[in-house]
Amino acid sequence: GKIEAKIPRGVRTGSRIRLSGKGESGTGDGAAGDLYLKVEVAPHPVFQRDGDDLKVTVPVELYTALLGGKVEAPSLDRTVKLTIPPETANGSVFRLSGLGMPNLRNPDQRGDLYTTVEVQLPQDLNQAEKELFEQLQEMRNRL
């Protein structure tokens, strides 16, 4: 048969959920025992989970990483604006507090969301853009 189970918010792989009275019948017409479900949380296509914290990689254009600006970052229930300071290095991590997983014992508390910057290099530069980058390179070499 089919059994429905309520899965609590913030449940983790390895958690056990007890369904009382849903197990096998006891001996000699005894009451049914309990059924334990062992939870395995499937991987998410966007987020990696670390306890109640979530991790996500955010693509950032080279110009935004150099000059600063805002980018959109996914969180569990909405998209958030992330402020990128000027001269942000590739691999920089920003913590967005309270945007992680709900805590299993206290669902009002949530973990944090850690966003890792992945700087995207511009593709298919035209001749004028290449020349500008070459000028920048020459200026940097003169320093």
Side-chain angles (χ1 to χ4, degrees):
K2 207 182 330 181
I3 296 175
E4 283 196 18
K6 265 199 154 117
I7 307 297
R9 291 177 61 184
V11 74
R12 299 178 185 189
T13 291
S15 295
R16 290 194 331 162
I17 296 173
R18 186 176 73 138
L19 304 177
S20 41
K22 299 290 185 188
E24 294 288 324
S25 296
T27 52
D29 292 332
D34 297 340
L35 174 66
Y36 287 91
L37 298 180
K38 190 172 173 202
V39 174
E40 181 158 336
V41 178
H44 193 276
V46 175
F47 302 104
Q48 291 85 49
R49 185 169 176 182
D50 180 8
D52 289 339
D53 295 332
L54 291 174
K55 296 177 177 179
V56 68
T57 301
V58 178
V60 176
E61 284 191 350
L62 174 67
Y63 314 107
T64 306
L66 285 170
L67 305 172
K70 291 196 181 302
V71 295
E72 290 191 342
S75 77
L76 269 184
D77 33 28
R78 61 193 160 103
T79 301
V80 293
K81 290 267 189 229
L82 179 62
T83 300
I84 303 293
E87 297 179 26
T88 292
N90 187 43
S92 295
V93 178
F94 295 93
R95 180 171 68 104
L96 303 174
S97 58
L99 290 180
M101 289 294 289
N103 182 281
L104 182 56
R105 285 178 182 66
N106 190 349
D108 294 337
Q109 289 182 359
R110 289 176 65 163
D112 299 330
L113 175 65
Y114 290 87
T115 57
T116 301
V117 168
E118 188 176 79
V119 176
Q120 308 290 301
L121 295 180
Q123 302 293 310
D124 304 323
L125 294 176
N126 63 35
Q127 195 54 42
E129 290 171 321
K130 278 183 188 162
E131 286 169 11
L132 282 170
F133 275 111
E134 285 165 1
Q135 287 173 30
L136 276 171
Q137 186 179 30
E138 285 169 25
M139 287 170 74
R140 297 297 295 186
N141 288 341
R142 274 189 247 127
L143 293 179

